[in-house]
Amino acid sequence: MPTALRPDLAPSPRANAASVDDCRLIELPRITDPRGNLTFIEGGAHLPFSIERVYYLYDVPGGAERGGHAHRALQQLLVAVAGSFEVLLDDGRRRRRVRLDRPYRGLLIGPMIWRELDEFSSGSVCLVLASQCYDEADYYRDHAAFVAEVL
Ligand code: TYD
């Protein structure tokens, strides 16, 4: 049997390895009103982490891609507060695509998940709530290095 097909020699994921299946969509509260709808997010209540940082992507040109990295420890919630975009999730073994297109739905992404954002609609805004302040040392920016770490 060729080596590549022998399950006993195939690389096995590390114990407690992050999985794309752990990234989940959460429904946020919606206060509907004829004057306009309102959604709120409270750290602890709606998120499994306290919010240390908020940032947002906007004025994204058609065809642009953002992300292209993983984080060692950071947890994030992504929300398409305007328009839509897609998120490619990659745990080093499997990939999954999620489309975000509602301001009351968020995508939770934990540590050690590679993510790429694309297919931004015109005028879209990606709001990100993060569990830690910005720290470049928390990033994997090289996909091969990320995969080598998780497998
Ligand atoms: P990056 O995280 O690579 O952006 P994205 O994943 O959305 O494509 O960050 C782009 C640049 O912005 C990089 O130089 C770091 C800087 N930056 C900060 O200074 N603070 C932040 O909170 C974030 C998210 C990025």
Side-chain angles (χ1 to χ4, degrees):
M1 178 187 279
T3 303
L5 298 179
R6 285 184 56 182
D8 54 320
L9 295 182
S12 57
R14 293 185 171 195
N16 303 320
S19 161
V20 291
D21 296 329
D22 300 331
C23 302
R24 56 190 174 91
L25 288 166
I26 58 171
E27 293 287 312
L28 299 165
R30 253 194 299 174
I31 312 292
T32 56
D33 189 306
R35 299 171 300 159
N37 299 334
L38 182 154
T39 283
F40 58 93
I41 307 171
E42 296 181 351
H46 307 116
L47 301 178
F49 57 84
S50 58
I51 300 162
E52 291 296 320
R53 176 168 51 122
V54 176
Y55 67 93
Y56 35 96
L57 300 169
Y58 55 98
D59 291 348
V60 180
E65 296 179 6
R66 300 290 316 216
H69 52 73
H71 290 278
R72 290 177 162 78
L74 192 71
Q75 302 178 69
Q76 293 179 310
L77 182 82
L78 276 56
V79 184
V81 290
S84 63
F85 56 88
E86 294 192 10
V87 186
L88 171 76
L89 301 166
D90 174 352
D91 60 21
R93 298 169 302 282
R94 285 189 302 123
R95 294 181 154 210
R96 180 183 153 208
R97 281 191 85 85
V98 177
R99 178 178 170 79
L100 291 178
D101 57 5
R102 295 284 185 272
Y104 51 84
R105 193 168 293 146
L107 175 64
L108 270 174
I109 308 178
M112 302 305 283
I113 299 288
W114 185 270
R115 84 290 310 269
E116 295 170 12
L117 281 62
D118 58 17
E119 302 294 333
F120 286 88
S121 67
S122 175
S124 60
V125 178
C126 170
L127 174 72
V128 183
L129 308 182
S131 64
Q132 297 177 3
C133 290
Y134 174 75
D135 177 9
E136 185 60 35
D138 188 61
Y139 280 74
Y140 287 92
R141 291 198 182 270
D142 180 76
H143 187 260
F146 164 72
V147 172
E149 188 65 32
V150 292
L151 293 185

